[in-house]
Amino acid sequence: MIEGSAPAGPVPDDEPVSVLFTWRVVPGREADFERWLEEINQVSSRFPGHQGVTWLRPPAGTPEDQRRYHCVLRFDNGRHLSRWLTSPEREVTVRHLAGIAEEAEQRETTTGMETWFSLPGRPVLPPARWKMALVSFLGVYPLILIFNLLGAEHLAELPLPYLLRAAIIPLLLSILLTYLVMPFLSRLLRRYLY
């Protein structure tokens, strides 16, 4: 969300994107930084495509020289993110940080699927997209086969509108992929992916 010209790495124009910012706050200026958080959140939320921001504060007892604030900013696509990052409104709001905080490290940008392919406790670059696509196929294909064998004909019999019936399989697939299948496959295929 903040200083510098753009997120690290290429940002696609047509898919959701998240950016991680890390901030080093001058000791004793935490209250000022917290007020600035409210200001920047209000300004960014008015931009098209803004999907929210999550702030992670340093745990209590963290030594002052290691205190970092982390921000995960989400936009519906890279075009809208770039519009925010290069906006005059952002530039003005960032100027209010002078003497309070500075961006500490390289920004990390993800476009969605990378979160299925993360290693717990270790910051790593996401795997190549073709590898993510292949592993995703390995996760989706068996689930589609199972749904077709066990449930497709029963779905057609449900007394629901077509659009609601059509939403059942993607809903179930999304939940199973996110919480069970992809975490399992990313652990199983870790050496291949990384």
Side-chain angles (χ1 to χ4, degrees):
M1 162 177 327
I2 319 303
E3 295 186 38
S5 58
V11 178
D13 283 342
D14 59 349
E15 55 187 276
V17 62
S18 297
V19 183
L20 172 67
F21 298 90
T22 302
W23 292 92
R24 187 176 19 244
V25 178
V26 173
R29 302 296 305 267
E30 292 83 3
D32 295 327
F33 187 74
E34 292 280 342
R35 282 190 291 278
W36 179 82
L37 294 183
E38 293 177 22
E39 178 186 3
I40 198 74
N41 290 345
Q42 288 174 3
V43 174
S44 67
S45 69
R46 293 192 289 261
F47 272 71
H50 183 270
Q51 293 185 328
V53 61
T54 302
W55 284 95
L56 304 170
R57 290 159 174 85
T62 303
E64 285 187 357
D65 63 335
Q66 297 174 17
R67 291 177 59 85
R68 303 284 186 272
Y69 283 73
H70 302 281
C71 164
V72 179
L73 175 67
R74 295 175 302 281
F75 269 82
D76 65 349
N77 61 53
R79 189 175 56 258
H80 285 144
L81 172 65
S82 294
R83 187 177 298 159
W84 160 246
L85 290 174
T86 59
S87 71
E89 294 91 340
R90 179 189 148 272
E91 185 179 336
V92 167
T93 307
V94 168
R95 282 192 210 134
H96 299 165
L97 265 188
I100 297 172
E102 62 183 30
E103 193 171 351
E105 297 163 14
Q106 180 81 20
R107 295 178 191 165
E108 297 294 329
T109 304
T110 65
T111 57
M113 285 184 57
E114 291 91 339
T115 57
W116 279 349
F117 299 99
S118 60
L119 295 174
R122 288 202 281 175
V124 295
L125 291 173
R129 285 183 180 237
W130 69 268
K131 286 185 177 183
M132 290 190 290
L134 182 60
V135 174
S136 298
F137 173 79
L138 292 174
V140 171
Y141 185 66
L143 289 178
I144 293 292
L145 285 177
I146 291 169
F147 282 125
N148 282 332
L149 290 172
L150 300 179
E153 63 187 44
H154 300 297
L155 280 178
E157 297 170 3
L158 289 176
L160 297 171
Y162 173 76
L163 292 177
L164 196 54
R165 278 195 321 263
I168 293 173
I169 289 179
L171 175 66
L172 292 173
L173 278 176
S174 299
I175 292 168
L176 289 173
L177 285 169
T178 300
Y179 291 102
L180 298 173
V181 176
M182 296 312 292
F184 170 76
L185 286 176
S186 65
R187 281 191 306 270
L188 180 69
L189 300 173
R190 182 174 295 166
R191 293 186 73 181
Y192 166 73
L193 289 165
Y194 300 96

